[in-house]
Amino acid sequence: MENIVLKEYINNIPKAELHLHIEGTFEPDLIFKIADRNKIKLDHNSVEELHSAYNFNNLQEFLNIYYTGAKVLLTDEDFYDLTWAYLEKAHSQNVIHTEIMFDPQTHTDKGISFDTVVNGIYSALKDAEKEFGMTSKLILSILRHLPQEAAFETYENFFNHRDKINVLGLDSSEIGNPPSKFQELFTRAYYDGLKLTAHAGEEGPPDYVWEALDTLKVNRIDHGNRSLEDEDLVEKIVNNQIALTVCPLSNLKLQVVDDLRDHPLKTMLDKGIKATVNSDDPAYFGGYINDNFIKTAEALDLTEDEIYKLVKNSFEASFADEKRKNEMIQLLEKYKVNN
Ligand code: ADE
Ligand code: ZN
């Protein structure tokens, strides 16, 4: 198939994004605009200079830069503007449902209130629903490099925002911070009725994916690439229809893979894994969701059928209610490839 046809198919097909850190959508020009508004002096003198600092060799090097960018966010309006900028882009790429992670500890640790962060993000989500018909879920993500006690303190805020927060997540530096470190917290969240997800198997070993599934009882795995190293784990993931929220351009930039042509996405599909495509931190990794689809499809020679499957997986694996899920899957029907 001609690439141009595949690109158009990818651009047009309605899709869900399930793995997206809102702080990772903070584009250099918006960082400068908000820093200026808040009278914060940045270490870099221009958008270009800041952008050229974006070269990292692994997850930790990336996280150091990413946490620095987030420091200029102070007010409800800042969080609103950050979220709105992402939602407009996502809408332009035919995202009709998005599940957004935010890292409250990054902000509360510098004195910003939890309410400011959530209220700013949530108002933008509600506006996107009104203006674009885009639905969403909000994922409170815990920084795993901090102790579980700190996570519990943050988690207490959830009770004032039950109407806005739907999911508990786990992110940040994976190696040395296994899922089991947060067993009590995730058990508590399960009984509080939250859905659960965790980053696992991005840099960490298959054992961390086992722990996320068996100990934390997560509904989904974020990344999960290294699951493929363990056949029994693959069998469990397939049998239990556990979705992996895969982020190809992130994996390339953070050197989880050396070349997109070696990316495991197609292997995952071939093994029957419910894989989905997502952008993770698009402002830092060189592309939003459609770029992730297009570049990976080119590198792995994906067919329209495979793109359709990936998109359908994202609707099925979403935390949207059944009515919305069915509605979204219905919208997909006309993109089904005739065999
Ligand atoms: N926080 C933002 N992006 C992340 C990633 N890819 N892995 C872990 N933590 C993150
Ligand atoms: Zn992530």
Side-chain angles (χ1 to χ4, degrees), residues 39 46 95 137 186 222 259 262 297:
K39 309 211 171 1
S46 67
V95 170
K137 296 287 170 191
F186 273 68
D222 295 316
D259 191 306
D262 302 327

Side-chain angles (χ1 to χ4, degrees), residues 100-102 104 114-115 117-119 121-122 125-126 136-141 154-169 189 192-195 319:
I100 292 183
M101 278 177 254
F102 72 110
F114 189 98
D115 298 357
V117 181
V118 172
N119 293 338
I121 296 172
Y122 190 73
L125 296 179
K126 287 295 108 184
S136 55
K137 296 287 170 191
L138 193 49
I139 305 173
L140 189 174
S141 216
T154 299
Y155 182 73
E156 286 307 311
N157 292 284
F158 156 69
F159 299 101
N160 292 328
H161 297 279
R162 292 189 91 111
D163 54 328
K164 308 181 191 81
I165 295 167
N166 320 93
V167 188
L168 185 71
D192 288 335
L194 283 168
K195 299 283 187 197
F319 294 132

Side-chain angles (χ1 to χ4, degrees), residues 273-300:
I273 293 175
K274 201 184 252 306
T276 65
V277 169
N278 310 271
S279 68
D280 204 10
D281 301 284
Y284 293 89
F285 299 148
Y288 285 75
I289 192 164
N290 286 355
D291 308 293
N292 273 273
F293 269 109
I294 291 167
K295 289 186 178 145
T296 313
E298 284 172 353
L300 300 177

Side-chain angles (χ1 to χ4, degrees), residues 19 21 59 62-63 66-67 103 171-173 199 202 223 250 254 280-281 285:
H19 184 158
H21 303 264
L59 177 59
F62 155 69
L63 289 170
Y66 158 92
Y67 293 132
D103 292 336
D171 64 6
S172 188
S173 321
H199 284 55
E202 180 185 19
H223 294 295
S250 163
L254 300 185
D280 204 10
D281 301 284
F285 299 148

Side-chain angles (χ1 to χ4, degrees), residues 259-270:
D259 191 306
L260 266 191
R261 283 170 297 189
D262 302 327
H263 196 280
L265 184 69
K266 193 172 160 57
T267 308
M268 288 172 176
L269 286 181
D270 291 346

